[in-house]
Amino acid sequence: MKTLADELFREFREHSVSEFFRKNAAMLGYTGKVRSLTTVIHEAVTNSLDACEEAGIPPDVVVEIKRMDEDPEHLRVAVEDNGPGIPERFIPSVFGKMLAGTKLHRMLQQRGQQGIGISGAVMFAQITSGKPALVRTSTGDGKVVEVEVSINVDRNEGEIHTKRVVEGKWKGTRIELELKEVSYQRSRYSPFHYLRMTSVANPHARITLEEPDGNRMVFERVVKEVPKPPEPMPLYPKGLMADDLLILCRASKSRTVAGTLTAELSRMTRQKVEEAERLSGVRLDKKPRELTWEEAERIVKAFKQMKFMAPSSSGLRPIGREHIEKSLRQMYEPEFAVAVTREPKFYRGGIPFVVELGMAYGGKAGKGEEEGGGGMELLRFANRAPLVFDQGGCVITSALRDIDWGRYSLNPELSPLTIFVNFCSAYVPYTSAGKQSIADEPEIYEELRFAAMDAARELRFYLHRKIRQREREQRAGIFEKFLPIIAKRASSLAGEEPPDIRPVLKKVTGLESDGGE
Amino acid sequence: MKTLADELFREFREHSVSEFFRKNAAMLGYTGKVRSLTTVIHEAVTNSLDACEEAGIPPDVVVEIKRMDEDPEHLRVAVEDNGPGIPERFIPSVFGKMLAGTKLHRMLQQRGQQGIGISGAVMFAQITSGKPALVRTSTGDGKVVEVEVSINVDRNEGEIHTKRVVEGKWKGTRIELELKEVSYQRSRYSPFHYLRMTSVANPHARITLEEPDGNRMVFERVVKEVPKPPEPMPLYPKGLMADDLLILCRASKSRTVAGTLTAELSRMTRQKVEEAERLSGVRLDKKPRELTWEEAERIVKAFKQMKFMAPSSSGLRPIGREHIEKSLRQMYEPEFAVAVTREPKFYRGGIPFVVELGMAYGGKAGKGEEEGGGGMELLRFANRAPLVFDQGGCVITSALRDIDWGRYSLNPELSPLTIFVNFCSAYVPYTSAGKQSIADEPEIYEELRFAAMDAARELRFYLHRKIRQREREQRAGIFEKFLPIIAKRASSLAGEEPPDIRPVLKKVTGLESDGGE
């Protein structure tokens, strides 16, 4: 018997993840001509910086944007780095397969974490210009591989079209993408602004941009040290769900659950395993694959009751307050700059993160002329990668909006202030695959507020001192004007020579003793 | 030779889409205890309403939320509908495979469009409670199938655990999910509010909610007609990209490109095909599979120069202004209600959409007490499904925020106003897989503004009339007070009887002639 449901389900189909994101490219940030171009460059530069950092190489990234013909919306983008290169056999998957990569399954602080980004850029190039990506890469083994690669959307697979191997000493990766329906300009949402922000948060990187008109500019390296390569961060027992534990056990090579726990979790000592066994009533010498959901739930519950050392945050790589201040001074030439790098904290029970926040006041800081001039400017970063879009939905925005700025003698509409925020974590809770805003986790919100208040207090000291200084100067002005007259009149009344009043003046106005503060 | 890159790429892996969304559940709306519960219910109810509508059945949806034990965050949710049911062989894919469904590839106005939602809900249940979903369904063929189904995250596949088939006359689908780490309450983000909003936008549906405390409430059907089933909407030539055209040609069963164009696109007549052939210089009698990218680009370019009838919007199913007004009156008992359903418009060159906007003023309209009371409340919908979260990033919010409300004698902070907005389209440009906010497409933004101004003008008429009325009443009050005294004094001065001043009073205050306006 044929029912209506059978009829309706005739249209039932399966789809590949590439097909999904082709249809919903806006979810990856491909919306609008300016944003689409910035997204392409963001994905390529992110990969380059991650690769250099993992290999301990000071990054030297060159971005070239060239016009192809008279159509101003037809551009060729090249991003080249001096990183470790990509082994030939991984090229199709790196550039042509979504949800493939070295990052998705590891707890490692990196800019990328999804295995979607660069394949998405290849797809965008392909659906607007019809052209595959040109990739040139070498791992430093004397061979330079150059291939044309595209993405097979139906199968979510990379396809190689042409391949050329030449001898060469060069090491690194270069990707060239031909794009249509994109637009180059210098607004807040442009590649120019994006790379400028990237440079602020990556003072160890040298970034070169060649604009379509041939103009070449270099954002120079400000500090020499390369951040230490990120370290894998094992999961923390208190942040674990029963399902996580079962997945660990299923994949484990240990012979017992106890072995899995000590191998896979942080802060799990022999003693802690015994305590968990006692509290949960689950025998931990059983095979990992035999653990049931109910047992896993009991173990996780036991973890929540136990005391552990705070999770290790040794794998986190904040920029550091000195480097942030240095970057801000160099970029904004402010009257005053301050930065704080807070201690590591944890969200969702055990995911470590660090908040860094810097403020630059005066000089070129604050909203630029093109945005009406004056008022606070907010620069958001996650693991040093700029977050340029979707500012409204980000916890950084909401946490800072809720600060009572008046208490710090600041006015969001008027103060010439640039606030720099970097959120570091091995897992950034993005609200969407476009990775432009961070979800509102209560611990993150709180920590952002504390960081803002820390920095704002320093800035308030500076501002109050400035006000006191100005008052003193005004006071001094009055004394300077009238004291000599009084001295003269008094001495003439007394029939004496006018005395040297400069020491008195100094004492009264207090300018000398406090001036160096 | 082993390079550093080889070492770094040892960690390269492929992942399934389920694995991706398991790790990034926040992207599907699973963030926070309240929102997670609402998201589960949203996914199930959305599917039920879509299924009923496609089958032309007046929906009767029952949502039951029950506590399982003393843990208030351990709930069992059941959603049952009277829809067409699901054929047995599709059950594993519908509930256990992401990116599978009847919606992703069709241009059809429905609430769901991704093939992710309900599998995401099954996954959330599974990772919090460890329990598979219980599904009972019948297509009306006399058999009721009951299965336990879960999602294999590594392979992105549904797995059946138990199965039972019984005889029965019932038709419909019921899904039961056991959830942990969720929280039931009655806030703005709760299932209660969600279903109430769903009822406003679906006056043809009967929705029953049973809360954990046993309290049962029914949002009754307000109108009898079921909306016509949605119709597939062929693509419009002007909205096409070269890549779209190539995909159509690759999948086409026609023998020529010309045949593909007339079969797959709207508004393509024989004459239009000839015109496209002439303008593009591409021979359209060639086989569809032989069309090259360059030729596709030339054809698409030709389409952009040609004139076509406006795209058909016959497949769109707006609620209609009368039904919106009826819903608003019933829900808010306002002093005044107005709604507009605008004419179809198009974005991205050819995707049709309709904006509907209603306003309820006074009565219970506006922000409730729990939100500080007073001021405008915004209810957003896409294809009649409520958008409860991520209000900040949605074009509906930004379009309405940019209205100069003062011109309409309204104050966003004070006016007791509820604004209802429904966006209808076969393709809603959501900003993320969580489907809670709509991307900022310029044509959509404009159209939302026009709709708001249309409705606001009506409301202004009402408000001005109300002010005039009040002024008249005040004027009348003065006359009523003093006219009798003047009449009395004057008549006593003249030595006459006081006259009947009521006709004069009526004439002066104008109350009778205008009162019925």
Side-chain angles (χ1 to χ4, degrees):
Chain A
M1 181 176 137
K2 207 64 176 173
T3 62
L4 177 57
D6 290 307
E7 180 60 24
L8 296 173
F9 271 85
R10 271 195 320 143
E11 293 284 355
F12 198 89
R13 299 264 190 294
E14 287 176 30
H15 303 273
S16 82
V17 63
S18 309
E19 213 179 333
F20 173 72
F21 281 121
R22 181 189 182 282
K23 187 163 178 201
N24 296 290
M27 291 182 192
L28 297 182
Y30 296 101
T31 164
K33 292 172 184 186
V34 178
R35 179 169 180 173
S36 293
L37 180 60
T38 302
T39 299
V40 166
I41 287 166
H42 159 72
E43 298 299 352
V45 169
T46 289
N47 276 16
S48 290
L49 293 175
D50 272 347
C52 288
E53 219 156 81
E54 227 185 326
I57 299 166
D60 199 339
V61 179
V62 180
V63 177
E64 298 161 12
I65 306 174
K66 290 204 166 72
R67 280 179 60 163
M68 300 293 292
D69 47 37
E70 73 290 350
D71 177 3
E73 299 186 349
H74 184 191
L75 300 171
R76 190 167 178 91
V77 171
V79 177
E80 180 170 329
D81 65 49
N82 59 338
I86 298 166
E88 190 182 330
R89 68 182 184 288
F90 289 105
I91 295 176
S93 294
V94 168
F95 297 99
K97 190 193 258 308
M98 292 189 176
L99 299 181
T102 57
K103 300 172 185 175
L104 182 59
H105 55 292
R106 290 193 296 169
M107 285 293 275
L108 211 58
Q109 181 195 319
Q110 293 193 307
R111 292 163 189 79
Q113 66 186 29
Q114 305 183 341
I116 294 180
I118 196 68
S119 310
V122 171
M123 182 167 75
F124 180 76
Q126 181 173 324
I127 65 179
T128 58
S129 77
K131 297 287 193 307
L134 181 73
V135 173
R136 187 182 304 140
T137 186
S138 174
T139 61
D141 59 356
K143 285 192 304 177
V144 179
V145 182
E146 192 177 292
V147 299
E148 285 187 310
V149 57
S150 69
I151 176 163
N152 180 320
V153 171
D154 295 338
R155 295 210 306 269
N156 186 37
E157 272 176 22
E159 283 175 354
I160 301 290
H161 298 266
T162 63
K163 187 179 127 182
R164 218 162 57 97
V165 182
V166 296
E167 308 269 302
K169 281 229 157 288
W170 174 73
K171 182 160 66 74
T173 300
R174 177 184 175 93
I175 177 168
E176 295 185 20
L177 294 166
E178 195 175 320
L179 314 170
K180 288 194 179 177
E181 298 185 47
V182 289
S183 167
Y184 188 82
Q185 35 145 290
R186 271 208 184 182
S187 77
R188 185 169 181 81
Y189 302 107
S190 65
F192 169 75
H193 179 74
Y194 176 83
L195 293 176
R196 196 161 160 260
M197 282 179 70
T198 304
S199 165
V200 177
N202 296 273
H204 66 291
R206 184 172 190 271
I207 300 172
T208 307
L209 169 64
E210 196 179 309
E211 294 181 293
D213 61 4
N215 181 28
R216 201 175 164 89
M217 81 199 75
V218 180
F219 301 102
E220 265 303 348
R221 196 168 276 133
V222 185
V223 302
K224 281 208 178 113
E225 314 95 272
V226 186
K228 276 191 295 175
E231 268 169 42
M233 289 190 266
L235 295 167
Y236 186 62
K238 279 180 179 291
L240 222 59
M241 287 171 61
D243 194 50
D244 299 318
L245 183 52
L246 284 173
I247 288 180
L248 288 179
C249 282
R250 242 186 290 145
S252 172
K253 284 168 194 151
S254 305
R255 283 188 308 115
T256 62
V257 173
T260 309
L261 295 182
T262 44
E264 303 288 340
L265 302 183
S266 69
R267 309 309 194 199
M268 281 305 290
T269 58
R270 191 79 219 119
Q271 288 72 35
K272 290 294 166 193
V273 171
E274 277 160 23
E275 192 182 345
E277 183 150 38
R278 206 169 51 243
L279 280 170
S280 67
V282 179
R283 288 196 55 175
L284 299 184
D285 57 356
K286 68 188 319 185
K287 287 189 188 144
R289 296 199 155 255
E290 285 169 6
L291 194 74
T292 66
W293 177 275
E294 282 65 31
E295 290 171 333
E297 249 186 358
R298 267 149 61 197
I299 295 170
V300 162
K301 209 166 161 190
F303 287 163
K304 301 243 190 281
Q305 298 164 16
M306 290 162 61
K307 283 197 165 59
F308 290 94
M309 271 178 70
S312 163
S313 52
S314 66
L316 294 181
R317 297 287 175 267
I319 305 169
R321 47 177 294 275
E322 285 155 48
H323 288 175
I324 296 173
E325 282 184 25
K326 210 163 182 175
S327 269
L328 290 176
R329 281 187 214 284
Q330 143 119 12
M331 193 65 83
Y332 296 101
E333 297 162 25
E335 314 173 6
F336 181 79
V338 61
V340 289
T341 296
R342 301 261 311 168
E343 289 297 304
K345 294 286 177 336
F346 313 95
Y347 75 97
R348 292 192 199 159
I351 305 178
F353 69 95
V354 164
V355 165
E356 301 186 277
L357 188 144
M359 289 184 179
Y361 183 91
K364 297 183 197 157
K367 274 191 195 137
E369 283 309 313
E370 68 273 22
E371 291 158 286
M376 291 186 189
E377 177 195 38
L378 173 59
L379 306 180
R380 297 173 297 130
F381 298 83
N383 291 341
R384 300 167 180 246
L387 309 178
V388 178
F389 302 96
D390 305 340
Q391 178 157 324
C394 185
V395 66
I396 298 178
T397 310
S398 58
L400 297 197
R401 193 171 41 211
D402 297 351
I403 299 271
D404 179 4
W405 293 106
R407 289 187 49 191
Y408 302 95
S409 313
L410 291 166
N411 180 334
E413 305 299 325
L414 297 172
S415 302
L417 182 66
T418 291
I419 305 179
F420 169 105
V421 180
N422 183 38
F423 176 83
C424 300
S425 179
Y427 178 75
V428 182
Y430 290 114
T431 58
S432 98
K435 296 193 295 177
Q436 291 292 320
S437 70
I438 300 175
D440 189 358
E441 296 283 345
E443 295 88 352
I444 298 176
Y445 175 90
E446 273 310 304
E447 191 57 16
L448 285 162
R449 281 176 58 85
F450 287 138
M453 293 190 286
D454 282 358
R457 257 191 302 273
E458 298 277 320
L459 178 53
R460 184 175 53 190
F461 282 135
Y462 166 76
L463 291 173
H464 283 189
R465 213 157 57 211
K466 191 170 136 180
I467 292 166
R468 278 205 308 277
Q469 175 78 1
R470 199 184 304 136
E471 283 168 359
R472 264 191 217 113
E473 280 167 10
Q474 282 167 351
R475 205 172 351 133
I478 292 166
F479 281 113
E480 270 166 356
K481 198 166 162 191
F482 294 109
L483 218 56
I485 303 173
I486 294 166
K488 208 170 152 190
R489 293 280 172 92
S491 55
S492 95
L493 275 177
E496 287 182 19
E497 277 297 289
D500 181 6
I501 57 160
R502 278 170 304 174
V504 183
L505 210 54
K506 263 184 202 161
K507 211 167 167 184
V508 173
T509 62
L511 266 185
E512 201 183 60
S513 59
D514 278 53
E517 218 189 301
Chain B
M1 184 175 134
K2 206 66 176 171
T3 62
L4 177 57
D6 290 306
E7 180 61 24
L8 297 174
F9 272 86
R10 270 195 320 142
E11 293 284 354
F12 198 89
R13 300 264 190 294
E14 288 175 28
H15 303 274
S16 81
V17 63
S18 309
E19 214 179 333
F20 173 71
F21 281 121
R22 181 189 181 282
K23 188 166 177 200
N24 297 289
M27 291 182 192
L28 297 182
Y30 296 101
T31 164
K33 293 173 183 184
V34 177
R35 178 168 180 174
S36 293
L37 180 59
T38 302
T39 300
V40 165
I41 287 166
H42 159 72
E43 298 299 352
V45 169
T46 288
N47 277 16
S48 290
L49 293 175
D50 273 347
C52 288
E53 219 156 82
E54 227 186 327
I57 299 166
D60 198 339
V61 179
V62 180
V63 177
E64 298 162 11
I65 306 174
K66 290 205 167 73
R67 279 179 61 164
M68 300 292 293
D69 47 36
E70 72 289 350
D71 177 3
E73 299 186 348
H74 185 189
L75 300 172
R76 190 167 179 91
V77 170
V79 176
E80 182 170 327
D81 65 48
N82 59 338
I86 297 165
E88 190 182 330
R89 70 182 183 287
F90 289 105
I91 295 176
S93 295
V94 168
F95 297 99
K97 191 193 258 308
M98 292 190 177
L99 300 180
T102 56
K103 300 172 185 176
L104 182 58
H105 55 293
R106 291 194 297 169
M107 286 293 275
L108 211 59
Q109 182 195 319
Q110 293 194 308
R111 293 164 188 79
Q113 65 185 33
Q114 306 183 341
I116 293 179
I118 196 68
S119 311
V122 172
M123 182 166 74
F124 179 77
Q126 179 173 325
I127 65 179
T128 59
S129 77
K131 298 288 194 306
L134 182 73
V135 173
R136 187 182 303 140
T137 186
S138 175
T139 60
D141 60 356
K143 285 191 304 177
V144 179
V145 182
E146 191 176 293
V147 300
E148 285 186 310
V149 57
S150 69
I151 176 165
N152 180 320
V153 170
D154 295 338
R155 295 210 306 271
N156 185 38
E157 272 176 22
E159 283 175 355
I160 301 289
H161 298 266
T162 62
K163 187 179 129 182
R164 217 162 57 96
V165 181
V166 295
E167 308 270 302
K169 282 229 157 288
W170 175 73
K171 182 160 67 73
T173 301
R174 176 184 176 93
I175 176 168
E176 296 186 19
L177 294 166
E178 195 174 321
L179 315 170
K180 287 193 178 177
E181 299 184 47
V182 289
S183 168
Y184 187 82
Q185 34 144 291
R186 272 208 183 182
S187 76
R188 186 169 179 79
Y189 302 106
S190 65
F192 169 76
H193 179 74
Y194 176 85
L195 293 176
R196 196 161 161 260
M197 282 178 71
T198 304
S199 165
V200 176
N202 297 272
H204 65 293
R206 183 172 191 269
I207 300 173
T208 306
L209 169 64
E210 196 178 308
E211 294 181 293
D213 62 4
N215 180 28
R216 201 176 164 89
M217 80 200 76
V218 181
F219 301 102
E220 266 303 349
R221 197 167 277 134
V222 185
V223 301
K224 282 205 176 116
E225 314 95 272
V226 186
K228 277 191 294 176
E231 268 169 41
M233 289 189 268
L235 295 167
Y236 186 62
K238 279 179 179 290
L240 221 59
M241 287 170 62
D243 194 49
D244 298 319
L245 183 53
L246 284 172
I247 288 181
L248 287 179
C249 282
R250 242 187 289 145
S252 172
K253 283 168 194 151
S254 305
R255 284 188 307 116
T256 62
V257 174
T260 308
L261 296 182
T262 44
E264 301 289 339
L265 302 183
S266 69
R267 310 307 193 199
M268 280 305 288
T269 58
R270 191 78 218 119
Q271 288 72 33
K272 291 293 164 192
V273 170
E274 278 161 22
E275 191 182 346
E277 185 151 36
R278 208 168 50 242
L279 279 171
S280 67
V282 178
R283 288 196 54 174
L284 298 184
D285 57 356
K286 68 189 319 185
K287 287 189 187 146
R289 297 201 154 253
E290 285 169 7
L291 193 73
T292 66
W293 177 276
E294 281 65 31
E295 290 170 333
E297 251 185 356
R298 268 149 62 199
I299 295 170
V300 163
K301 210 165 160 191
F303 287 163
K304 302 244 190 278
Q305 298 163 17
M306 290 163 60
K307 281 198 165 58
F308 289 94
M309 271 179 69
S312 163
S313 52
S314 66
L316 294 182
R317 298 286 175 268
I319 305 169
R321 47 177 295 275
E322 284 155 48
H323 289 173
I324 297 173
E325 282 185 26
K326 209 164 183 176
S327 269
L328 290 176
R329 280 188 213 284
Q330 144 118 15
M331 194 65 83
Y332 295 102
E333 298 162 24
E335 314 173 5
F336 181 80
V338 61
V340 289
T341 295
R342 302 260 313 168
E343 289 298 303
K345 293 286 177 333
F346 312 95
Y347 75 98
R348 291 191 199 160
I351 305 177
F353 70 95
V354 164
V355 165
E356 301 186 278
L357 190 144
M359 289 184 178
Y361 183 91
K364 297 182 197 158
K367 273 190 196 140
E369 284 308 315
E370 68 273 24
E371 290 157 285
M376 291 186 188
E377 177 194 38
L378 173 59
L379 307 180
R380 297 172 298 130
F381 297 83
N383 291 342
R384 300 169 181 245
L387 309 178
V388 177
F389 303 97
D390 306 341
Q391 177 156 324
C394 184
V395 64
I396 298 179
T397 310
S398 58
L400 296 197
R401 194 171 40 212
D402 297 350
I403 299 271
D404 179 5
W405 292 106
R407 288 187 51 193
Y408 302 95
S409 313
L410 292 167
N411 179 335
E413 305 300 325
L414 298 170
S415 303
L417 182 67
T418 290
I419 305 179
F420 169 104
V421 179
N422 183 38
F423 176 85
C424 299
S425 179
Y427 178 74
V428 182
Y430 290 114
T431 57
S432 99
K435 296 192 294 177
Q436 291 292 320
S437 69
I438 301 175
D440 189 358
E441 297 282 346
E443 295 88 352
I444 298 176
Y445 175 89
E446 273 310 304
E447 190 58 15
L448 285 162
R449 282 176 59 83
F450 287 139
M453 292 189 287
D454 281 358
R457 258 191 301 274
E458 299 277 320
L459 178 54
R460 183 174 56 190
F461 283 135
Y462 166 77
L463 291 173
H464 284 189
R465 214 158 56 211
K466 191 170 136 180
I467 292 167
R468 279 204 309 276
Q469 175 79 3
R470 200 185 304 135
E471 283 169 0
R472 266 194 214 110
E473 279 168 9
Q474 283 167 350
R475 204 169 357 129
I478 292 167
F479 282 112
E480 269 166 357
K481 197 166 163 192
F482 294 109
L483 219 56
I485 303 172
I486 294 166
K488 209 170 151 189
R489 294 281 172 92
S491 56
S492 96
L493 275 177
E496 288 185 14
E497 277 298 288
D500 181 7
I501 56 161
R502 278 170 304 175
V504 184
L505 211 53
K506 262 184 203 158
K507 211 167 172 187
V508 174
T509 62
L511 266 183
E512 200 183 61
S513 59
D514 278 54
E517 220 189 302

